[in-house]
Amino acid sequence: MLPLFDLSLQLNGFPMKEAKAELRKIVAFTEKEHKVFLENKKVEIVNFHLQNNTFYKDLVGMTTFTNWEDLPVLNKKNLQKPLLEKLSKNYSLKNSYINKTSGSSGTPFIFAKDKYCHAVTWASNIYRFGWYGIDFNTSYQARFYGIPMDFIGNQKERFKDLLSHRFRFSIFDLSDEILEGFLNHFRTKKFDYINGYTSSIILFAKFLQKRNIVLTTICPTLKVCMVTSEMLFEEDKILLEKQFDIPIVNEYGASELDLIAFQNPQNEWQINSETLFVEILDDNNKTVPNGIAGRIVITSLFNKAHPFIRYDIGDIGILDEKSTLQKPILKKLIGRTNDVAILPSGKKSPGLTFYYVTKSIIEDDGNVKEFVIKQTKIDTFEIEYVSETKLNLAQIKKIEKAIALYLENDLVFIFHKKEKLERSKSGKLKQFVSFVK
């Protein structure tokens, strides 16, 4: 088969051969060689932007630097400027890859990557998916993603799907009738892997569970499932493994960067140290020891068109104690920094704690398909859920008791049964959101 995927990238000006060759070289480094490579790339990318990027030079306030820790930490608000104000010298809308963040953090912005950086990003993706025998040129993908609803945007994505050898399942309506249609595609198409948003894939697995169907019995070509963009909880992973009967791989990435962490075949969440430098920082921008939670701050080592240097992605995570510079391991992704619930007592708690505690109870009877939690006042939380039957008083009391145990007493919960939950334009489901400032 003609390698359409690589060819389409090459024809669009992304030098894939050179990028793949560079990535192979980086992956082959010894620990010592990798350390030298990393230090050189950090210095190179900072100096490039200090000399060629007015936006970054003004932010740093100097034209040379000696100490990495003295560099400012970029945040999403810094980057909410017109793209032309952030582009480096000699880079333009025409000779760069342009995209925008999903806005799931509440702070969307437009960004650019130079064409070589974008090619390296794809080489990094290809390398990691290759751990599971997936080849973007030949492996057939079942894609659980959103899609633009306007005609031109929709057709553009469909054409990209064709070149990328993938079939897209639109996830804006996930009723049983639609999921039955999804199932028929698995009966008739020889998919090699599933890739897409966690919540949508879990919903499909629950649909299969209800019908007592294991997916590989009707689609035996399936090898692996990669979930991305939303949290994957352990019990959901167990459900997916049971209903799909294939390995479930947890992916953590950002469109403006690259794959940040990807579960390797040893079941470790391996951080990408080939194209990125990942730091875990405290509130004073100091590095925390491995094993301690902090803000995830990332440097893109190759992007010359647009600076992502010490960029606070808005997530909180923990590096494993056994991490090395060459092979950092993400022990835990706790959630987004803006998804923190502030409680009447003054206590701050990651919003996903509410979601996780509630989840263990709300899904016990198998009726609740999915739900979200919204903090509307300091003591008030609204839970929207999709279910065949309404939650009963016993279930509600159980949730309130569990949250009092894990968090605090006297919180108010309001439950709303919905036909379907509201998703973002990209199709992501935001599991917890606080409207309390």
Side-chain angles (χ1 to χ4, degrees):
M1 184 183 283
L2 188 71
L4 268 182
F5 185 78
D6 279 9
L7 196 62
S8 65
L9 285 169
Q10 199 81 34
L11 289 172
N12 279 303
F14 303 113
M16 289 307 298
K17 285 179 187 170
E18 296 87 339
K20 282 184 172 183
E22 174 141 24
L23 195 80
R24 279 195 298 272
K25 194 172 84 175
I26 298 167
V27 168
F29 283 150
T30 62
E31 184 83 35
K32 192 176 174 182
E33 287 169 336
H34 188 273
K35 186 179 180 182
V36 172
F37 153 78
L38 184 58
E39 288 309 309
N40 287 342
K41 287 302 285 183
K42 282 161 64 181
V43 170
E44 181 190 316
I45 200 69
V46 174
N47 283 334
F48 178 87
H49 284 296
L50 287 176
Q51 288 156 27
N52 296 281
N53 192 289
T54 306
F55 159 74
Y56 190 67
K57 188 166 58 181
D58 290 348
L59 192 76
V60 175
M62 52 186 162
T63 51
T64 56
F65 86 106
T66 49
N67 188 15
W68 181 261
E69 283 74 24
D70 290 342
L71 292 169
V73 171
L74 267 174
N75 60 45
K76 290 175 191 279
K77 283 205 168 78
N78 295 143
L79 297 170
Q80 279 191 311
K81 289 176 178 288
L83 182 59
L84 291 175
E85 290 180 22
K86 299 180 292 179
L87 283 175
S88 299
K89 200 193 299 178
N90 298 326
Y91 289 99
S92 67
L93 303 183
K94 286 185 178 175
N95 68 7
S96 306
Y97 167 77
I98 311 297
N99 204 345
K100 61 176 179 289
T101 62
S102 68
S104 59
S105 64
T107 320
F109 60 86
I110 296 171
F111 66 90
K113 288 183 187 179
D114 60 86
K115 293 207 167 182
Y116 186 70
C117 173
H118 193 56
V120 171
T121 297
W122 274 115
S124 157
N125 277 267
I126 289 162
Y127 165 62
R128 282 171 174 76
F129 276 68
W131 291 346
Y132 296 91
I134 298 303
D135 180 335
F136 286 179
N137 287 301
T138 56
S139 301
Y140 196 20
Q141 180 190 140
R143 188 171 181 81
F144 284 70
Y145 268 76
I147 190 166
M149 302 311 281
D150 65 286
F151 181 77
I152 292 171
N154 189 284
Q155 292 306 301
K156 196 175 171 184
E157 283 303 309
R158 293 290 181 198
F159 183 61
K160 278 160 68 176
D161 287 342
L162 180 71
L163 294 177
S164 304
H165 205 47
R166 61 199 188 201
F167 181 86
R168 188 181 298 246
F169 296 95
S170 181
I171 57 175
F172 295 116
D173 181 357
L174 294 167
S175 59
D176 281 5
E177 189 183 347
I178 297 293
L179 292 174
E180 191 67 58
F182 287 11
L183 189 57
N184 287 332
H185 283 294
F186 279 94
R187 286 195 176 101
T188 56
K189 292 176 171 63
K190 293 183 176 180
F191 290 119
D192 293 289
Y193 67 115
I194 297 169
N195 184 219
Y197 295 156
T198 311
S199 63
S200 309
I201 293 171
I202 288 166
L203 211 52
F204 183 53
K206 287 180 179 176
F207 170 81
L208 296 175
Q209 185 184 43
K210 206 161 58 174
R211 280 159 175 67
N212 203 21
I213 295 169
V214 173
L215 199 53
T216 48
T217 61
I218 61 162
C219 186
T221 50
L222 275 176
K223 296 190 189 86
V224 64
C225 168
M226 284 84 173
V227 296
T228 190
S229 292
E230 300 156 337
M231 296 290 279
L232 175 67
F233 294 100
E234 190 56 37
E235 61 268 36
D236 288 331
K237 188 179 181 185
I238 292 164
L239 169 75
L240 293 175
E241 285 170 341
K242 185 184 170 196
Q243 295 309 137
F244 293 172
D245 192 31
I246 50 177
I248 307 301
V249 175
N250 202 357
E251 175 189 300
Y252 169 44
S255 57
E256 65 269 38
L257 297 166
D258 196 340
L259 279 179
I260 299 165
F262 196 77
Q263 193 177 307
N264 65 25
Q266 291 74 49
N267 211 28
E268 300 164 316
W269 220 359
Q270 188 171 330
I271 285 177
N272 169 3
S273 65
E274 292 84 31
T275 75
L276 305 174
F277 172 55
V278 176
E279 303 172 84
I280 308 289
L281 304 184
D282 64 17
D283 289 341
N284 298 312
N285 296 336
K286 301 294 180 194
T287 306
V288 302
N290 291 351
I292 303 295
R295 292 147 53 228
I296 300 176
V297 172
I298 304 177
T299 298
S300 174
L301 299 172
F302 285 90
N303 195 350
K304 290 183 173 175
H306 184 299
F308 284 106
I309 296 166
R310 305 199 88 201
Y311 163 57
D312 187 337
I313 195 168
D315 291 335
I316 302 168
I318 302 172
L319 278 185
D320 198 290
E321 290 83 348
K322 64 174 182 249
S323 294
T324 65
L325 207 55
Q326 188 175 29
K327 191 183 174 183
I329 304 295
L330 187 61
K331 185 176 186 176
K332 195 175 182 186
L333 183 63
I334 295 169
R336 304 203 73 89
T337 48
N338 66 331
D339 291 346
V340 172
I342 300 164
L343 305 178
S345 65
K347 181 179 177 179
K348 290 182 181 179
S349 180
L352 281 168
T353 309
F354 280 84
Y355 183 83
Y356 189 74
V357 172
T358 307
K359 183 180 179 61
S360 60
I361 299 159
I362 209 169
E363 295 181 344
D364 271 358
D365 64 353
N367 275 331
V368 176
K369 294 179 180 180
E370 53 184 358
F371 69 98
V372 293
I373 301 179
K374 297 177 179 181
Q375 184 180 20
T376 52
K377 295 178 190 170
I378 198 158
D379 66 342
T380 306
F381 297 82
E382 297 193 14
I383 299 176
E384 297 178 356
Y385 65 98
V386 177
S387 178
E388 290 167 13
T389 56
K390 213 170 178 180
L391 288 174
N392 60 42
L393 192 62
Q395 287 171 305
I396 288 169
K397 289 289 178 198
K398 207 171 171 186
I399 290 165
E400 290 171 348
K401 189 178 172 185
I403 286 177
L405 178 68
Y406 280 91
L407 295 154
E408 64 184 58
N409 290 307
D410 302 321
L411 297 175
V412 178
F413 289 88
I414 301 163
F415 294 83
H416 304 284
K417 183 176 175 296
K418 299 270 187 179
E419 287 300 311
K420 64 177 183 179
L421 297 179
E422 192 182 317
R423 285 178 148 77
S424 70
K425 281 185 181 178
S426 65
K428 290 181 191 176
L429 186 69
K430 201 159 171 58
Q431 289 135 333
F432 175 88
V433 63
S434 177
F435 296 102
V436 177
K437 299 296 179 193

